[in-house]
Amino acid sequence: MDLIQQASVLIKEGKLVAFPTETVYGLGADARNDKAVASIFEAKGRPQFNPLISHVSSLEMLESFACLTDKAMDLIKAFWPGSLTLVLKRREDVQPVSYLVSAGLDTTAVRMPDHKIALDLIEASGCPIAAPSANPSGTLSPTCAQDVERTLGGKVDMILDGGPCRVGVESTVLLMTEEMPVCLRPGGLALEEIEEKIGPVLISSGSSSAPRSPGQLLSHYAPYRDLRMNAEDKREGEAYLAFGSSGGVEADLNLSPSGDLKEAAANLFRMIRQLDREPFTGIAVAPVPLNGLGLAINDRLKRAAYPRSYPR
């Protein structure tokens, strides 16, 4: 039995499997199984009001539990499989996915990952796989199997190693139940590309109490050391994470020396992890432009910099 088949057996048994996608590694369970989904929350220490994304391998699987709109279909044709999550109305006549996945909402978040291992696992399991990022809730998302092993190794039944994630930030999330689509979370697919296909998209701010999608909590993606955004200097004790030219500031790491936002997004979580260590007491991050994937990068940095109540 190959590794995909072994992993699919675990999924069918209600166990947890970490697997790669093009964005980040996911912590997967059978989205139909209430107990299995609850074990995701337990393993991550995740607030149960924070919804999960169901990953599918076909349009038929999606239509078994969600209601499609014409505009959603236009996006699916253009960008799936890929780094785009759609928040759609749940079907009322069936309940093939757990209400825990939707955090009790009448909507459900769905995407089709652009990664062969992920698609093969979903297909072999024969069910939608609920999967947030495979890390303790609120901390940096994993972009390689070793990240998962370090933080969740004892809480996951199997880790499928697919190498480093090529996108490196989570999917863009669009709410498709309003007259005009709403971006709930910028991510690996630039809003400019989406708007070229379907016209204007509203941008939502995060919610600290009742998120409509993953990644909306104000404090999220956080390292243990304080993070300072838009830094043009390096203070005592800080590590400096540059972007492009460091402007004369001594850089410890550089998201992209050439100023390439795609490269910066792919490096973001990995480099913050590398700097989140002694002897540094904080992390200063250079300004990143607010266009294209820069919107997603700044969103993650803003949440990583938000004050946290848990001990560090």
Side-chain angles (χ1 to χ4, degrees):
M1 185 183 298
D2 66 18
L3 291 176
I4 294 292
Q5 289 301 319
Q6 291 178 39
S8 71
V9 169
L10 290 171
I11 292 289
K12 292 172 185 177
E13 292 176 348
K15 304 293 179 57
L16 296 180
V17 173
F19 63 95
T21 75
E22 79 281 16
T23 57
V24 299
Y25 273 70
L27 180 64
D30 184 345
R32 307 165 304 178
N33 184 327
D34 288 336
K35 188 173 181 180
V37 173
S39 69
I40 293 176
F41 292 110
E42 182 180 31
K44 284 179 64 72
R46 183 184 180 96
Q48 290 204 12
F49 49 73
N50 201 359
L52 307 179
I53 295 172
S54 292
H55 295 68
V56 300
S57 58
S58 68
L59 198 57
E60 181 182 12
M61 187 178 288
L62 164 65
E63 290 180 307
S64 71
F65 64 93
C67 301
L68 275 175
T69 63
D70 291 341
K71 196 166 281 191
M73 182 59 76
D74 290 341
L75 290 169
I76 286 171
K77 289 178 180 177
F79 301 116
W80 276 18
S83 307
L84 175 65
T85 293
L86 301 177
V87 179
L88 305 165
K89 283 285 188 183
R90 289 178 62 109
R91 283 186 55 181
E92 295 181 357
D93 54 330
V94 292
Q95 190 196 340
V97 297
S98 168
Y99 278 106
L100 282 175
V101 172
S102 303
L105 300 172
D106 62 357
T107 54
T108 189
V110 192
R111 91 173 181 101
M112 185 184 293
D114 187 15
H115 197 291
K116 182 175 178 6
I117 290 176
L119 292 173
D120 286 351
L121 175 61
I122 299 164
E123 188 68 26
S125 301
C127 64
I129 293 183
S133 55
N135 58 293
S137 186
T139 65
L140 293 170
S141 299
T143 55
C144 66
Q146 291 74 22
D147 292 343
V148 182
E149 179 62 40
R150 279 193 296 268
T151 59
L152 288 181
K155 297 181 178 181
V156 62
D157 296 285
M158 185 175 183
I159 301 172
L160 290 171
D161 189 347
C165 301
R166 70 174 187 275
V167 175
V169 293
E170 294 82 353
S171 59
T172 300
V173 180
L174 287 187
L175 178 66
M176 301 300 296
T177 60
E178 309 294 331
E179 185 173 343
M180 183 181 293
V182 181
C183 179
L184 299 179
R185 180 182 74 182
L189 179 63
L191 284 180
E192 291 89 338
E193 293 186 59
I194 294 169
E195 291 183 324
E196 283 182 8
K197 293 292 181 183
I198 61 169
V201 172
L202 297 175
I203 299 178
S204 171
S205 60
S207 168
S208 61
S209 58
R212 298 298 302 272
S213 84
Q216 282 198 291
L217 293 176
L218 292 175
S219 176
H220 209 60
Y221 314 111
Y224 286 95
R225 281 151 186 79
D226 289 327
L227 185 143
R228 184 165 62 94
M229 292 178 63
N230 299 316
E232 296 182 343
D233 63 341
K234 180 178 179 179
R235 299 173 184 172
E236 185 177 354
E238 284 184 331
Y240 191 73
L241 181 55
F243 174 78
S245 170
S246 61
V249 181
E250 181 184 356
D252 294 280
L253 291 173
N254 195 318
L255 289 168
S256 173
S258 65
D260 184 300
L261 289 170
K262 186 174 181 180
E263 180 184 19
N267 287 333
L268 181 65
F269 289 131
R270 176 176 59 82
M271 288 190 173
I272 292 177
R273 282 180 183 277
Q274 289 176 330
L275 298 177
D276 191 21
R277 59 175 175 81
E278 294 182 348
F280 304 122
T281 57
I283 303 170
V285 184
V288 177
L290 278 165
N291 60 277
L293 288 179
L295 192 63
I297 293 169
N298 278 281
D299 173 82
R300 302 309 188 272
L301 289 173
K302 180 179 70 174
R303 297 176 195 279
Y306 194 83
R308 289 150 341 247
S309 58
Y310 59 81
R312 288 167 289 171

